Each structure stands twice: as structure tokens, then as C-alpha cells.
Amino acid sequence: MRSPSPRGGPQPPRSTALYEAILRLQDLEECLRFFDDLCAVTELRTLEQRYDVAGCLMQGKVYSEIRRETGASSATVSRVNRMLNYGTGQVAQSVRYDLEHAPGGQPGLTQPDTQEGDSL
């Protein structure tokens, strides 16, 4: 049973077109360009920050250290921690892979912004 939408009616069926398009991307550069086109800079930074927070939490860092390193609010750190503990496990699996395979255990080298003129 579908939960009601915030406006009170039933939610439409979930579209998989976006996820299928993501799976067709060939490399990191293509992925970066795809998301730069699709999302606002603030949306991307929010997703990137949450993923970075997940990595910090899985490394056992404390909230104050995570907030200092990522700039995330305590509410965001708490939200990500809740997702890691009670979510589907897919983000945790991905972060775990990154931590195990990244050079020096430091995943996600920061890429330079490719769209300098984007407005927030």
C-alpha cells in the first residue's frame, strides 16, 4: 500500500528511468557532467556531504570531528547515522567498499567545480 503524498493523495508509482540512466553512464567524468546538468549545485553538495558524513561515521569519528571536517550540521550527522543504522544498507555497503579500496583509506578526492558560473 502506498503512503499518502504530502498533499494527501496517493503517491504516483516510482519511476525508474533516472536510475536506469545512471546505470548507463560510462565513467566518472560522464557521471559528473550528468549530475551537473540534472541538479542544482546545492542539491549536489548536500548529497556529497551526506555521503562524506556516512564515511566519517563508518570510520568511527565523533560528531564534533565530523561537523568540523564536513561542515554538516548535527542534525545532518544524526540523520545520516539513523540512515546507516535503519536504512536499506546500500549506502553503508558503498562507503565500506570505498574505505576498503581507496588509496590510503581516503575515498572521494574532491573534484574541481566544472561549472564556475552556477548560482546556488
Side-chain angles (χ1 to χ4, degrees):
M1 177 184 239
R2 290 223 168 258
S3 58
S5 72
R7 299 187 194 277
Q11 290 182 345
R14 189 171 191 174
S15 172
T16 61
L18 170 65
Y19 307 103
E20 292 167 7
I22 292 168
L23 289 172
R24 289 191 301 271
L25 299 172
Q26 300 297 315
D27 56 32
L28 178 61
E29 189 59 39
E30 191 174 342
C31 188
L32 288 168
R33 288 192 315 265
F34 178 87
F35 281 98
D36 282 344
D37 285 347
L38 185 65
C39 299
V41 172
T42 53
E43 293 169 323
L44 287 173
R45 296 303 172 262
T46 297
L47 292 171
E48 293 163 357
Q49 183 184 65
R50 287 181 184 178
Y51 196 82
D52 291 344
V53 168
C56 289
L57 286 165
M58 292 188 67
Q59 291 176 67
K61 295 181 179 178
V62 297
Y63 276 36
S64 59
E65 185 178 7
I66 296 168
R67 291 179 61 208
R68 194 171 44 255
E69 286 184 22
T70 66
S73 68
S74 57
T76 296
V77 176
S78 180
R79 184 178 307 116
V80 172
N81 189 48
R82 191 170 45 252
M83 175 270 302
L84 288 173
N85 288 312
Y86 303 108
T88 66
Q90 288 305 128
V91 171
Q93 181 179 346
S94 181
V95 170
R96 196 173 301 111
Y97 177 90
D98 288 346
L99 292 171
E100 292 170 0
H101 294 90
Q106 296 298 320
L109 297 176
T110 302
Q111 298 290 322
D113 286 338
T114 57
Q115 306 273 327
E116 302 253 344
D118 283 349
S119 60
L120 296 178

